Amino acid sequence: MKQLWKDFKAFALRGVVLDLAVAVVIGAAFKAIVDSFVNDVFTPIVAALFGKPDFTDLGLTLRHCAPAAKAAKSCRQSVVHYGNFLTQITNFVIVAAAVFVMIKAFERLRTLRLLAVETGEVPVAVDEVTLLTEIRDLLREQASE
């Protein structure tokens, strides 16, 4: 039992697992942002363009019931509710586009940083010993002048 606990603790505290936990939390927050965008920005635009504020009401009735049977609830209509599926596809496309843009921006910044370091435009981080040595040498030069 102790070995099992030790193995579980080693697994749970690995960097990859912690990174995954952070990714899940950030993903949940990102989902809230995307949901807000879809519900508060995208859906009103769709409503203005197409007259329907949401796709979830869309469906295809395969079997119709007579009005009297509907009132008696003796007939069950067969309806394919494809509107909710369209809403989920819309959410997916928005999330995928946002992730794509973020990854492209990150790759662009990383490429620019690598180019700047290679060309010498951005100084590479210097450790304290090297920095203190350079200051000492500059002070010696000024004192000897």
Side-chain angles (χ1 to χ4, degrees):
M1 188 68 173
K2 286 184 181 180
Q3 183 63 34
L4 182 65
W5 175 252
K6 192 177 188 182
D7 291 344
F8 175 74
K9 195 166 89 171
F11 169 76
L13 296 178
R14 285 192 331 202
V16 175
V17 174
L18 294 175
D19 289 345
L20 181 60
V22 169
V24 168
V25 170
I26 290 175
F30 188 69
K31 182 188 180 314
I33 292 170
V34 170
D35 286 344
S36 175
F37 175 76
V38 169
N39 294 331
D40 302 333
V41 177
F42 186 74
T43 302
I45 293 171
V46 169
L49 293 176
F50 300 108
K52 282 192 166 236
D54 200 357
F55 298 135
T56 55
D57 295 340
L58 297 177
L60 176 66
T61 304
L62 301 176
R63 180 176 172 208
H64 293 280
C65 290
K70 280 185 189 178
K73 295 185 180 181
S74 62
C75 178
R76 292 187 177 215
Q77 293 190 136
S78 297
V79 180
V80 176
H81 297 282
Y82 64 88
N84 192 33
F85 182 67
L86 290 176
T87 301
Q88 295 304 321
I89 288 175
T90 303
N91 286 350
F92 173 77
V93 169
I94 291 170
V95 169
V99 169
F100 176 76
V101 168
M102 286 184 349
I103 289 173
K104 281 300 204 181
F106 177 75
E107 287 176 354
R108 178 77 176 144
L109 288 173
R110 194 174 77 192
T111 303
L112 290 175
R113 170 81 175 149
L114 290 175
L115 284 173
V117 168
E118 287 175 2
T119 59
E121 293 176 9
V122 174
V124 179
V126 181
D127 62 340
E128 290 179 15
V129 175
T130 306
L131 187 59
L132 290 172
T133 304
E134 290 176 4
I135 292 171
R136 182 197 64 201
D137 293 342
L138 287 172
L139 290 173
R140 280 187 186 160
E141 287 177 16
Q142 287 178 355
S144 66
E145 291 176 359

